Amino acid sequence: MTIDPQTSSLTERILRQDRRLLIALLALLFCVSALYTVSGVGMNMSALEMTAMSGMRDMPGGAGPGAWSIVYLLLVFLMWWVMMVAMMLPSVAPTALLYGQLMRRSQSTPVRRVKLQVMAFVVGYLLSWAAFSLGATMVHWGAETSGAVSVTMMTLIHTPPGGVLLIGAGLFQFSELKKRCLQHCQSPVTFLTRHFRPGPYGALQLGLRHGIYCLGCCWALMILLFVGGVMNLYWITALAAYVAVEKLTVVGGILSKLAGATLVLWGSFVVIS
């Protein structure tokens, strides 16, 4: 059987265009999420304003602590979820693109379905962080109601509860759960081949499973947003960059331990002082 060179060349061009389109879609999703987070839609202040005033902790808000309407509750949930999307997409994008590459090489997957399955994978991944965001929203409401965080600044830095969170997140870096979940995140080829499911629904399940492993790896670090400020861009950027380096480099395991020790020492200093 001979292959027409023109047909082969056309197929290669389609595959390259398909990959570029996937990268463009992921980049667009990231940009929209980042802009939404920075603008602070529905919040008392934008993320830029809150970051500029990060040194203030007890600035009064316009409403009483915990006085959330259903609409505001939904807005806070969206704030958390979209922020997670912006923070986690850079670290999951290589896995999503690798999944698309594996699908393109599979003779049983039509080229036109590759984009659909990759986006289904991404949606499944983001659904796991939607669950985390719902839990974070409830914690956020409870912390504000109890007075642990202020209505506007939403920060625990330089406080004993903040120190305890730092210590807890640091200790988690040494846990077996952290180690196992990080190994899954650092070995995308092994994960994709071991848990592969055919079709768009299978891709959704695969993305959800990968998101659960990622959540198990990073949830304690994301909780630290309560320490530095839920909408503090310095903390958001630092945590997103750290997670990407931890998951995508060969030194991630060592870095995890160093970060854990640093967090424990920092938290202990905060609690003692």
Side-chain angles (χ1 to χ4, degrees):
M1 179 180 179
T2 60
I3 298 177
D4 186 353
Q6 292 183 349
T7 302
S8 177
S9 177
L10 177 61
T11 301
E12 291 176 358
R13 288 199 301 270
I14 292 174
L15 293 179
R16 286 197 298 269
Q17 292 174 359
D18 183 68
R19 181 178 177 84
R20 293 192 191 102
L21 180 58
L22 288 173
I23 293 174
L25 289 173
L26 290 173
L28 177 61
L29 180 58
F30 169 77
C31 290
V32 171
S33 302
L35 287 173
Y36 186 100
T37 301
V38 170
S39 63
V41 176
M43 299 295 104
N44 297 315
M45 291 187 293
S46 70
L48 288 173
E49 292 171 326
M50 190 168 294
T51 303
M53 303 172 67
S54 58
M56 301 175 62
R57 180 175 182 270
D58 297 319
M59 178 180 173
W68 292 12
S69 65
I70 297 298
V71 173
Y72 188 74
L73 180 69
L74 177 61
L75 286 172
V76 174
F77 165 73
L78 288 175
M79 177 199 72
W80 272 100
W81 191 21
V82 174
M83 182 166 58
M84 292 299 104
V85 173
M87 293 178 70
M88 303 310 299
L89 265 182
S91 61
V92 77
T95 303
L97 293 173
L98 175 62
Y99 175 67
Q101 185 176 357
L102 293 175
M103 291 300 96
R104 283 190 292 270
R105 291 181 177 180
S106 173
Q107 295 180 353
S108 61
T109 305
V111 174
R112 64 181 182 276
R113 294 188 61 184
V114 171
K115 293 188 292 294
L116 175 62
Q117 292 193 202
V118 172
M119 296 315 295
F121 175 88
V122 173
V123 168
Y125 177 84
L126 297 180
L127 284 177
S128 66
W129 285 100
F132 169 83
S133 300
L134 180 60
T137 300
M138 295 298 100
V139 172
H140 191 160
W141 176 78
E144 185 179 302
T145 301
S146 65
V149 298
S150 62
V151 176
T152 52
M153 302 312 296
M154 298 179 283
T155 177
L156 293 171
I157 199 166
H158 304 318
T159 67
V164 171
L165 283 180
L166 288 168
I167 294 172
L171 292 176
F172 180 76
Q173 294 291 100
F174 296 93
S175 69
E176 187 65 22
L177 176 61
K178 170 73 179 189
K179 178 181 177 181
R180 291 185 179 182
C181 291
L182 181 59
Q183 287 174 344
H184 279 279
C185 293
Q186 290 177 321
S187 306
V189 175
T190 302
F191 170 81
L192 292 173
T193 54
R194 179 178 299 174
H195 301 288
F196 174 79
R197 297 289 185 277
Y201 182 66
L204 183 71
Q205 290 180 305
L206 186 64
L208 182 61
R209 181 186 290 269
H210 183 60
I212 291 173
Y213 280 122
C214 185
L215 181 58
C217 177
C218 303
W219 70 271
L221 293 172
M222 296 301 106
I223 290 295
L224 293 182
L225 287 168
F226 283 112
V227 177
V230 173
M231 294 179 64
N232 187 319
L233 292 177
Y234 294 132
W235 280 73
I236 292 173
T237 303
L239 286 172
Y242 170 80
V243 167
V245 172
E246 186 184 70
K247 291 173 61 177
L248 301 178
T249 65
V250 295
V251 297
I254 298 174
L255 187 62
S256 176
K257 301 297 189 297
L258 291 175
T262 301
L263 290 172
V264 170
L265 290 174
W266 185 7
S268 300
F269 175 78
V270 172
V271 171
I272 293 173
S273 61

